[in-house]
Amino acid sequence: MASNVQGNVGYDPLPLTNDDHPTNSLYNAPPSPSSASFHTPQLNPTDLGVDSAGFPLGAAQPRFLGAALYDDAGAPQARNSYASTHNTNLFGGGSEYNGSVYALNDTLGATPLNHGPYAGGYRDDPTESFGNHAMSPMGPPRGRLIEEKRAVYAPPRVKSKRNIIILAALAAFLLIIFAIVIPIYFAIIKPHSNKNSDTDTSDSTVKPSATTTGAPTVAAVVTGGDGSKVTMDDGTTFIYHNSFGGHWYWDENDPFNDGARAQSWSPALNETFRYGIDKIRGVNLGGWLNTEPFIVPALFEPYLSNTQPAVDEWTLSEAMRSDTANGGITQLEDHYKTFITEKDFAEIAGAGLNYVRIPLGYWAIEVRDGEPFLEKTSWIYFLKAIKWARKYGIRINLDLHAAPGSQNGWNHSGRLGTINVLNGPMGYANAQRTLDYIRILAEFISQPQYSSVVTMFGILNEPQGPTVGQDALARFYMEAYNIVRNAGGIGENKGPFISFHDGFLPRSQWAGEFPNADRMSIDTHPYICFGTQSSAPMSSYKNTPCTTWGGLVNTSSANLGLTTAGEFSNAVTDCGLWLNGVNLGTRYEGTYPGSGQSVGSCSTWTDWQNWDAPTKSAIKNFALASMDALQDYFFWTWKIGNSSVTGKVETPHWSYQLGLENGWMPTDPRAAIGFCGNTDPWSPPLAAWQTGGAGAGDIPASVTSALAWPPATLSTGGPVVSLPAYTPTGTVVTLPVPSFTQSSKTTATINAGSGWANSADTAGMFVAIPTCSYLDPWIGPTASPPSPLCSSAAHRRSEPSEPNLTPTPSA
């Protein structure tokens, strides 16, 4: 299908809502100035020579090599070996129960391997006053671990073949013990023990796991903490850095194990995340599976001289399909492979973050009628995201970022132009199609194999509430809510939290809209860079997030429930390559259409390589203020790609990763706690029904009736009965599940699901009626509906239309 969109067409910025942007704020006027670690006992691999045992960095040591009793300076020392004095324990520190002195002793008559990680141990400390543990008595051993230690360390008395044979037998016995105990520990004991460690949370629903049979083999390393070596799918390795007590876990034979933890203060995936108490500290993976020109400019730059420049993923896909010399549309998959990798997830956990928000376009599921997007491929990489998030203990907020016809007319909706969801003659049909895609995604992520990782679902990114109207949007949200809950059920751990965007309407207008709705959260995107521009220095914005957003979040949390900032950034101006769109200029420099007089040069805002320490400190203060004010958040975005022209990042205020590397993002997001000095904070917890407890799902019948789907009329479209509509008679698309490469010596039962959580959900997919007429889904709101709608000679009409500027709501 040929594009109707012309190049270099301006589109408006994010609309500014009254509650986030009061008239005396920066939106409308210039501002006034105002651990635990996890490593082998050696300090360095070379300190004690070659490790003949061959245990990789971060792997478990033999049971008789306990951790150091005390790691802190000035602690008492007794019979410490070089290794034990420099070793720390993954599961805790500063306790006698973590030490090698304690770890080899029988404890309180405990049965080995039944009461704690060191039950049935041995102590060899001759200093009776040290820890009040006497030396193990002489005579018959009390525990088998001391026998293992004696067997390994006993000096040879007679150099005879008989002794050599005995020693060899003992060594073989130990190897067998290790082969049995280590897999049992990592696959069974440790994942279950995580449920009671570090945070005071209740257990969640038990998730499916592999069942292994057959002869025991030496297990590969499946877990590790700070300093451990990680081997990725392609065989390359990196060192995992996490100073916050997090640890990774991945076993291809047990791929649904949820034992990983991002940080000590974040619940592991097999623990309950207490929304309203445990804070969402997240980051977006923008530009990865749903491209945006300012995030990945190198993808778009080769096609600037085309008759139709690449300005969105639609025109990018068309340009790539014609560019067969450089790989055609497969260039997009190359981007998926390289822009975000497993290492990014490891770094996100190491940065102290516990959530990622992943934008996804509808073409991950299907395309229709010549839509040029790369169909279904991005879903393959979303499955990889689930795997990597599970491995590093990170939760996912899946965000449907682009709907057919476009819900906002912006380039990140797939196609720059007009709004055709809940608006115009194709507004109803496009909404039907979008609801189908919500259903398909909900059925997949509500499966128990994935629901512990994909725990939040943003059902539609940034729909234009002022254009489509709150009534139509609220009805759409109510129908989407019913669809998601039909897939997973009502109540905690049954499907995801449902995140709905405020639609650029004041949050106060949403209060009471969905009473007793099970696990719904409101999403807002507070940006201050797209309004009135100011030349005030970065330091003058230090408290702006606190005074502008903090009180609003408190009020929203009290009146609406869980309130998240699905997007925000460090930008206070609209400076940066293509931030407003390809070749559309900036308001700051007066080059954006209709922006007026220039404020100054953007170079000082984008030349990050020459920023001085005070500038970086000012940006960090703004970030800390934003995090504290917003409370539960997702920074936009984790990574900005280099321009292929300049070879560097051109929008530095938008890259969390770049800020970490260069000192203007906090290395520990907890440093934001209390930054705003909030004197009247909202006090958790959320109401029981808001988190899936008592009363969840008990929406009054009067509410469901008032929000019945579909609306009677659509904005600029007229009565729904006079608009094109689809019928639910098509074959439903079911998303594929991942496959796993199991050990050749392992017979395992791995149930990856069917892609569909609710087998009773058998309704068909909305498809065209053969005898009815339809317009181009992107035709624009001013076209007339087909007349008659249905007849024996139906056809599909396409009327080219110029894209309209999306109106900005008045402040």
Side-chain angles (χ1 to χ4, degrees):
M1 179 187 299
S3 171
N4 297 327
V5 181
Q6 301 302 313
N8 303 323
V9 176
Y11 68 103
D12 277 1
L14 290 161
L16 310 177
T17 64
N18 292 333
D19 57 349
D20 281 330
H21 321 292
T23 56
N24 62 349
S25 76
L26 288 171
Y27 298 94
N28 301 288
S32 300
S34 59
S35 95
S37 62
F38 189 71
H39 50 78
T40 55
Q42 298 83 357
L43 275 177
N44 296 297
T46 58
D47 287 342
L48 298 180
V50 177
D51 185 357
S52 58
F55 286 90
L57 186 64
Q61 295 291 329
R63 289 173 297 165
F64 56 75
L65 293 181
L69 183 61
Y70 296 101
D71 287 326
D72 49 320
Q77 303 291 320
R79 292 188 66 174
N80 292 321
S81 68
Y82 178 85
S84 67
T85 57
H86 295 83
N87 185 29
T88 56
N89 188 276
L90 173 63
F91 309 106
S95 167
E96 63 188 7
Y97 302 101
N98 297 330
S100 59
V101 172
Y102 189 92
L104 300 176
N105 285 272
D106 293 322
T107 56
L108 305 177
T111 303
L113 299 178
N114 287 344
H115 294 77
Y118 298 127
Y122 161 79
R123 64 181 168 272
D124 59 358
D125 182 10
T127 309
E128 295 185 6
S129 63
F130 182 49
N132 296 321
H133 294 294
M135 184 173 178
S136 290
M138 299 294 290
R142 294 176 61 194
R144 70 182 183 195
L145 299 185
I146 178 57
E147 287 303 296
E148 295 177 11
K149 179 171 182 177
R150 289 171 177 166
V152 172
Y153 291 117
R157 298 175 182 173
V158 180
K159 294 182 178 180
S160 65
K161 291 183 178 180
R162 179 181 179 185
N163 285 351
I164 292 174
I165 293 173
I166 292 173
L167 289 174
L170 285 173
F173 173 75
L174 288 176
L175 288 174
I176 293 173
I177 291 296
F178 298 158
I180 295 173
V181 172
I182 292 174
I184 290 175
Y185 172 73
F186 283 119
I188 300 175
I189 298 174
K190 183 174 182 295
H192 287 286
S193 69
N194 279 341
K195 292 190 177 186
N196 298 312
S197 65
D198 293 324
T199 57
D200 181 21
T201 58
S202 61
D203 295 343
S204 60
T205 305
V206 176
K207 302 299 186 296
S209 60
T211 302
T212 304
T213 60
T217 58
V218 177
V221 177
V222 296
T223 189
D226 189 31
S228 58
K229 184 169 72 173
V230 176
T231 302
M232 296 189 289
D233 291 340
D234 62 1
T236 59
T237 62
F238 65 88
I239 300 301
Y240 179 60
H241 297 290
N242 187 320
S243 60
F244 303 124
H247 61 269
W248 58 270
Y249 187 100
W250 180 258
D251 181 358
E252 197 78 9
N253 297 314
D254 188 13
F256 300 110
N257 188 299
D258 289 333
R261 182 189 299 276
Q263 303 88 27
S264 62
W265 64 79
S266 296
L269 295 180
N270 56 13
E271 296 173 336
T272 298
F273 196 99
R274 301 166 301 173
Y275 293 95
I277 299 174
D278 297 316
K279 292 302 180 184
I280 295 174
R281 297 183 173 100
V283 68
N284 282 271
L285 299 183
W288 180 31
L289 304 180
N290 189 89
T291 63
E292 294 192 38
F294 93 92
I295 299 176
V296 284
L299 284 180
F300 291 80
E301 284 168 331
Y303 306 110
L304 289 182
S305 60
N306 286 18
T307 302
Q308 168 59 69
V311 298
D312 49 32
E313 190 154 338
W314 180 290
T315 50
L316 177 67
S317 299
E318 289 181 324
M320 284 184 168
R321 288 186 183 279
S322 299
D323 185 15
T324 55
N326 288 304
I329 194 65
T330 61
Q331 293 175 88
L332 265 179
E333 184 168 8
D334 293 338
H335 161 71
Y336 298 155
K337 290 177 181 177
T338 57
F339 188 66
I340 296 293
T341 68
E342 177 182 338
K343 190 175 180 181
D344 288 288
F345 282 78
E347 291 177 359
I348 288 167
L353 304 172
N354 55 21
Y355 247 102
V356 292
R357 180 172 177 261
I358 303 181
L360 195 69
Y362 76 87
W363 48 91
I365 301 171
E366 69 164 11
V367 296
R368 296 183 185 177
D369 298 324
E371 295 163 353
F373 303 113
L374 180 58
E375 182 183 22
K376 301 182 178 180
T377 306
S378 58
W379 178 254
I380 298 170
Y381 291 87
F382 182 73
L383 292 178
K384 291 181 182 292
I386 295 176
K387 172 181 176 179
W388 297 334
R390 192 191 304 273
K391 183 171 181 176
Y392 296 100
I394 296 170
R395 290 170 170 84
I396 292 176
N397 175 2
L398 169 60
D399 189 76
L400 182 57
H401 223 67
S406 178
Q407 72 277 16
N408 53 41
W410 293 327
N411 60 12
H412 49 71
S413 70
R415 192 177 188 185
L416 175 64
T418 55
I419 302 167
N420 293 280
V421 175
L422 300 175
N423 189 48
M426 284 298 289
Y428 178 47
N430 284 334
Q432 288 180 298
R433 194 174 160 195
T434 302
L435 288 168
D436 257 346
Y437 298 145
I438 290 171
R439 174 188 174 207
I440 291 165
L441 291 169
E443 287 286 359
F444 188 96
I445 64 178
S446 295
Q447 296 175 102
Q449 295 91 336
Y450 310 98
S451 60
S452 59
V453 180
V454 189
T455 51
M456 187 171 287
F457 184 15
I459 49 180
L460 190 62
N461 180 64
E462 297 182 346
Q464 284 284 359
T467 298
V468 305
Q470 184 171 351
D471 178 72
L473 187 56
R475 291 172 185 269
F476 178 87
Y477 283 160
M478 190 75 256
E479 183 69 4
Y481 167 88
N482 292 331
I483 288 170
V484 176
R485 291 292 168 246
N486 184 55
I490 298 290
E492 187 178 12
N493 298 321
K494 294 182 178 179
F497 244 88
I498 299 171
S499 174
F500 71 95
H501 187 259
D502 60 19
F504 304 110
L505 301 169
R507 274 166 281 179
S508 58
Q509 292 184 201
W510 292 102
E513 190 77 70
F514 310 109
N516 289 359
D518 177 27
R519 293 166 295 148
M520 283 189 81
S521 66
I522 189 167
D523 176 28
T524 184
H525 298 175
Y527 290 117
I528 70 172
C529 60
F530 295 113
T532 302
Q533 303 293 294
S534 170
S535 60
M538 190 73 201
S539 58
S540 69
Y541 293 85
K542 179 178 179 179
N543 295 317
T544 300
C546 304
T547 57
T548 306
W549 302 330
L552 293 171
V553 172
N554 289 337
T555 300
S556 179
S557 299
N559 295 339
L560 285 160
L562 182 63
T563 301
T564 64
E567 298 180 18
F568 75 102
S569 78
N570 288 328
V572 297
T573 74
D574 69 341
C575 290
L577 179 67
W578 299 346
L579 181 60
N580 295 303
V582 175
N583 291 338
L584 291 181
T586 67
R587 297 168 184 81
Y588 195 85
E589 293 182 322
T591 55
Y592 183 81
S595 60
Q597 188 175 359
S598 170
V599 175
S601 171
C602 277
S603 60
T604 57
W605 296 97
T606 59
D607 188 17
W608 57 271
Q609 293 158 312
N610 291 309
W611 285 348
D612 56 18
T615 298
K616 294 180 180 180
S617 178
I619 299 172
K620 182 183 290 186
N621 284 336
F622 182 84
L624 292 170
S626 298
M627 291 173 174
D628 194 32
L630 297 173
Q631 302 182 37
D632 294 280
Y633 57 80
F634 300 86
F635 185 90
W636 186 275
T637 181
W638 170 246
K639 180 179 182 179
I640 299 290
N642 291 339
S643 162
S644 61
V645 176
T646 66
K648 67 172 185 174
V649 171
E650 293 292 344
T651 47
H653 290 87
W654 299 77
S655 176
Y656 201 112
Q657 184 186 63
L658 190 69
L660 282 177
E661 294 169 349
N662 291 276
W664 66 78
M665 287 300 287
T667 55
D668 184 347
R670 294 176 301 171
I673 298 173
F675 190 91
C676 289
N678 191 350
T679 59
D680 187 24
W682 170 76
S683 298
L686 297 167
W689 60 268
Q690 293 173 332
T691 59
D698 296 337
I699 302 175
S702 59
V703 173
T704 57
S705 176
L707 295 178
W709 177 257
T713 61
L714 290 186
S715 172
T716 71
V720 165
V721 294
S722 67
L723 302 179
Y726 295 126
T727 184
T729 57
T731 301
V732 175
V733 175
T734 302
L735 291 166
V737 301
S739 59
F740 304 97
T741 304
Q742 301 168 237
S743 169
S744 59
K745 297 183 179 181
T746 299
T747 301
T749 301
I750 296 177
N751 177 13
S754 64
W756 204 258
N758 182 7
S759 60
D761 180 4
T762 59
M765 195 167 179
F766 283 100
V767 294
I769 302 171
T771 58
C772 293
S773 298
Y774 298 89
L775 306 177
D776 184 324
W778 279 267
I779 197 165
T782 60
S784 299
S787 181
L789 282 177
C790 301
S791 67
S792 58
H795 64 283
R796 181 177 184 273
R797 191 177 86 225
S798 176
E799 295 181 359
S801 61
E802 294 292 334
N804 296 333
L805 289 178
T806 300
T808 302
S810 58

